[in-house]
Amino acid sequence: IHSNEFHKVIDFFAKDYDSVRPHYQHQIYTPNEVHFNPELANSKPQLERINKERLKNNRNSCCKVA
């Protein structure tokens, strides 16, 4: 690999990791989103609560067959 190609590959993967792919720790957010908006880091408990409420509502709803 030439030096120029190596830098392109590293730049691609760094940008992909930081700006494109959500990170498990941040749920639906990328590392850059959380870095530049620290309040998003506290969204995990809210997302978990909303998901539990949604599941509870779905279990209590009756699907009607047409």
Side-chain angles (χ1 to χ4, degrees):
I1 278 186
H2 295 305
S3 177
N4 190 27
E5 291 175 31
F6 177 75
H7 288 289
K8 284 181 182 178
V9 169
I10 294 298
D11 287 343
F12 170 80
F13 283 107
K15 189 178 292 183
D16 185 57
Y17 181 85
D18 289 339
S19 302
V20 178
R21 296 181 185 205
H23 191 276
Y24 173 79
Q25 179 66 29
H26 307 304
Q27 296 289 318
I28 61 173
Y29 301 111
T30 65
N32 272 353
E33 288 174 317
V34 173
H35 176 74
F36 293 113
N37 302 292
E39 68 277 3
L40 295 177
N42 296 326
S43 65
K44 187 173 182 177
Q46 294 170 0
L47 293 172
E48 289 174 351
R49 179 186 53 77
I50 291 169
N51 191 40
K52 285 179 184 179
E53 288 176 8
R54 181 185 56 82
L55 290 173
K56 181 181 173 185
N57 288 335
N58 288 347
R59 287 185 185 117
N60 292 331
S61 296
C62 181
C63 296
K64 296 180 181 182
V65 178

